Amino acid sequence: MDKTLGDLHPRAAAEVPPRSSAKDVARLAGVSTATVSRALNLPQQVDPETLERVRHAIDKLRYVPHGAARALRSRRSQMVGAVVPSVDYALYARTTSALQAVLDAAGYAMVLAEHHYDVAQEVRVTEQLVRHGVDAFVFVGIYHDPALFTLLASHGKPYVLTWGVDPMHRHPAVGFDNRAATYAMTQYLIGLGHRHFGLLSAPVVDNDRATERGAGMRAALAQAGLALDEADARYGPIDLRAAANLMHEILARRPRPTAVVGTNDIFAVGGMLACREAGVRIPEDLSITGVDNTDLGATQTPPLTSIRTPVVEVGRAAGEEVIARLEGRPGEPSRTLPFEIVIRGSTAPPPR
Amino acid sequence: MDKTLGDLHPRAAAEVPPRSSAKDVARLAGVSTATVSRALNLPQQVDPETLERVRHAIDKLRYVPHGAARALRSRRSQMVGAVVPSVDYALYARTTSALQAVLDAAGYAMVLAEHHYDVAQEVRVTEQLVRHGVDAFVFVGIYHDPALFTLLASHGKPYVLTWGVDPMHRHPAVGFDNRAATYAMTQYLIGLGHRHFGLLSAPVVDNDRATERGAGMRAALAQAGLALDEADARYGPIDLRAAANLMHEILARRPRPTAVVGTNDIFAVGGMLACREAGVRIPEDLSITGVDNTDLGATQTPPLTSIRTPVVEVGRAAGEEVIARLEGRPGEPSRTLPFEIVIRGSTAPPPR
DNA sequence: CTGTTAGCGCCTTCAT
DNA sequence: ATGAAGGCGCTAACAG
């Protein structure tokens, strides 16, 4: 029917009945707007009978409080900004999801922004979120542009850093020790007999996770009297194909490393791809390891040795910490969560 | 130093200097707040010299406009709600990321909420976002609780549905034809000679993607005079281990299907895991296919035959559509984007 | 327990 | 090109 079809097109905002306000609810319930506000925010202070009348009016009018007005008056928007490099990396998505669940349960909305590993962009999007009125922030990583902290301080916004530990304890942080993770992994590889290592990493500039993970590997090597030849290290974007291409360069080295550490599972699996293409057998010819213990790594043939990092717990704990600060409770200055090596089929003693 | 350390603790909000307002900027620049507002929103109407003075004052005071006040006054918050089942599914994360980029470029903030495949929860979180003042919405999927549309209509919020097509054109939608995707895939398998099929799917209740993908498979079978025995179909959560367990049940069937269609790559890879565990060879003994063409599937041994769905394009287009509606432009009533079968090593003619 | 009152910070006529 | 003034919807302070 034409009439029906005509009705389907999105209507201009002007044609929509104006949304009802606290005043409308007050009128219908025969109370003042102050009582409506109290019914919503401090129901225990309202006479049960009045409360009932107000609630009925709210339902009838489909009243939903105007968040901006509330935020303006109460100086709290009940929104938290989550600023992450990219949710394309599955593990940041998991942390973000856990954070979202905690915030939602406490009545906070989560505003998400990405900066694609660009510290300047990170400051920019954070200022956008300040502009939009978010009350507090969660960031990924420990290192950030000093301008970011200036911005946060000048607006008095609480924040929590995640996915790392702040050695100086200058900022509240919830995370794990990235350096210790690759340190442990490298020690394990050394224990298997490996002496010649390669590294597949994200660019370390402005990226403390990558920096620390590389440092952990180098520290373990140094402790065993070994060293990483920079010619055996490759840096590139977190992308399977890019990682595979870098791995081909490592495979071309002579002598060739017998163990390659990826700073996360994407690099490691990209490396495995290159090995398949080049006919290099894992783990007989070459051992390879990742970090973050993704499904991607665990389902490879052979399955990838990796490190289970507590990404979900980080998101959850970050949510708790940021809410604590928002509600005036002190919160932990920092929380360091445990990781765990998961040994699978991609590692073995070196050939010969 | 103790003094320094003492300074590291998060300060209570009260100790923070009050953020500067347009009034402060006006005073410093020697103009009225109206001019400050114009300098920000209609700079071409302001004398260049005055503009310069105002901008200088803004920088000096680190002034950031108060979004809530602006939203209250202008009745637009410049925030868009993205309501997705879960960003844990990597593909929704990619769509969300693309959406975020488009919104950010246009000055909109993205508020993210998840509902974990619960339609009632979807209405609940959407109302939360309305409460927080978002101007418009993007949802995943075509089917939703009618109460959701009532809510949106009663608040006059524009919205766009994604990841599917609305056959009735009742709602603006940006997506692809899920049914056609599995239809094409099943036809391809039939062409290889398969006659006995299994299905690994998400629960279809309230999930149009799963429903349509299952329907596409059944339609292709019917067209070839075949049918899916419901005893060869299994439904469960989008989770590798869960999918593997369901696949073990299918593998126990006698006679056993020679081809199993997963409604996405997680199910298919979970299925491959079970086959490895059971010693069933792919593709010699059994063919298996996914949908969404993830890295997870592409890197398996053998690599998974799948369907490249335009998940990034969907996010981008949804952003454009929702912005168009927000800015009063009409926008397309719906956009259907193409998909593409990607044939890899997990499919072959049936045994014997 | 409830009503009255006074803004929160900004944008937007209406004047000038 | 700029200023003065009112009010968006709500909550906090103060009465009663």
Side-chain angles (χ1 to χ4, degrees), chain B residues 16 28 74 80 90 97 127 141 148 151 161-162 188 197 205 207 261 269 271 275 302 306 308 313 323 326 345 352:
Chain B
V16 172
L28 182 58
S74 65
V80 171
S97 181
E127 183 174 322
L148 183 75
L151 176 69
L161 309 182
T162 63
Y188 157 70
F197 286 77
V205 178
N207 182 333
V261 171
V269 171
C275 289
S306 189
R308 196 195 83 82
E313 294 85 339
I323 290 171
L326 237 21
R352 270 189 303 124

Side-chain angles (χ1 to χ4, degrees), chain A residues 32 34-35 38 46-47 50 72-73 75:
Chain A
S32 74
T35 299
R38 279 189 284 260
V46 177
D47 183 274
T50 321
L72 179 59
R73 179 64 235 226
R75 319 189 66 61

Side-chain angles (χ1 to χ4, degrees), chain B:
Chain B
M1 218 185 293
D2 265 353
K3 186 168 181 299
T4 312
L5 279 171
D7 204 36
L8 302 178
H9 292 287
R11 290 163 298 224
E15 303 176 39
V16 172
R19 87 188 258 170
S20 42
S21 72
K23 202 185 284 185
D24 302 320
V25 175
R27 193 174 321 122
L28 182 58
V31 297
S32 73
T33 61
T35 299
V36 174
S37 172
R38 279 191 282 261
L40 246 30
N41 305 310
L42 306 153
Q44 70 283 13
Q45 284 187 19
V46 176
D47 183 275
E49 207 172 307
T50 323
L51 188 57
E52 188 44 48
R53 283 212 318 284
V54 173
R55 288 200 166 139
H56 185 256
I58 286 175
D59 287 350
K60 182 152 185 189
L61 296 176
R62 283 212 185 73
Y63 169 67
V64 175
H66 194 294
R70 168 182 296 198
L72 180 59
R73 181 62 235 234
S74 65
R75 318 187 68 58
R76 300 175 337 126
S77 68
Q78 303 274 91
M79 299 192 298
V80 171
V83 180
V84 307
S86 161
V87 287
D88 254 17
Y89 183 50
L91 279 289
Y92 293 144
R94 297 198 70 193
T95 297
T96 304
S97 181
L99 172 64
Q100 204 271 334
V102 172
L103 293 176
D104 181 61
Y108 292 89
M110 187 184 83
V111 188
L112 180 68
E114 298 174 284
H115 58 71
H116 300 285
Y117 302 92
D118 175 339
V119 287
Q121 166 94 338
E122 184 174 40
V123 178
R124 230 206 76 234
V125 300
T126 301
E127 183 174 322
Q128 281 283 347
L129 298 194
V130 170
R131 186 185 309 276
H132 281 285
V134 312
D135 292 331
F137 286 90
V138 175
F139 297 96
V140 169
I142 302 302
Y143 177 81
H144 302 273
D145 191 322
L148 183 75
F149 296 113
T150 306
L151 176 69
L152 294 168
S154 80
H155 288 272
K157 302 291 186 191
Y159 60 89
V160 174
L161 309 182
T162 63
W163 272 70
V165 295
D166 179 9
M168 315 301 298
H169 296 289
R170 278 167 312 194
H171 308 285
V174 172
F176 46 89
D177 188 336
N178 288 283
R179 184 186 300 225
T182 42
Y183 185 92
M185 183 65 93
T186 307
Q187 273 201 325
Y188 157 70
L189 289 166
I190 292 169
L192 286 177
H194 292 277
R195 294 293 176 268
H196 185 182
F197 286 77
L199 172 68
L200 232 30
S201 170
V204 296
V205 178
D206 297 335
N207 182 333
D208 50 90
R209 283 88 63 215
T211 303
E212 289 291 306
R213 290 177 183 189
M217 177 192 187
R218 290 182 176 86
L221 290 176
Q223 211 236 340
L226 302 170
L228 176 69
D229 185 343
E230 266 305 317
D232 291 327
R234 289 292 183 285
Y235 305 85
I238 302 181
D239 173 275
L240 271 184
R241 195 59 245 167
N245 293 340
L246 295 176
M247 184 67 176
H248 276 297
E249 298 179 18
I250 292 179
L251 291 176
R253 296 271 303 155
R254 291 293 176 272
R256 179 207 282 160
T258 64
V260 171
V261 171
T263 53
N264 70 34
D265 278 15
I266 306 280
F267 288 106
V269 171
M272 293 179 95
L273 253 51
C275 289
R276 276 177 215 158
E277 290 160 359
V280 173
R281 295 167 306 162
I282 297 175
E284 294 82 358
D285 300 332
L286 187 116
S287 287
I288 191 159
T289 66
V291 179
D292 289 341
N293 193 38
T294 60
D295 283 344
L296 178 69
T299 58
Q300 295 303 306
T301 311
L304 182 67
T305 293
S306 189
I307 291 175
R308 196 195 83 82
T309 49
V311 294
V312 169
E313 294 85 339
V314 164
R316 207 146 42 203
E320 292 165 4
E321 289 299 323
V322 85
I323 290 171
R325 284 164 175 75
L326 237 21
E327 299 184 343
R329 285 176 276 126
E332 303 280 330
S334 74
R335 288 209 224 173
T336 301
L337 303 169
F339 59 82
E340 180 188 358
I341 289 203
V342 183
I343 294 173
R344 298 204 185 87
S346 72
T347 45
R352 270 189 303 124

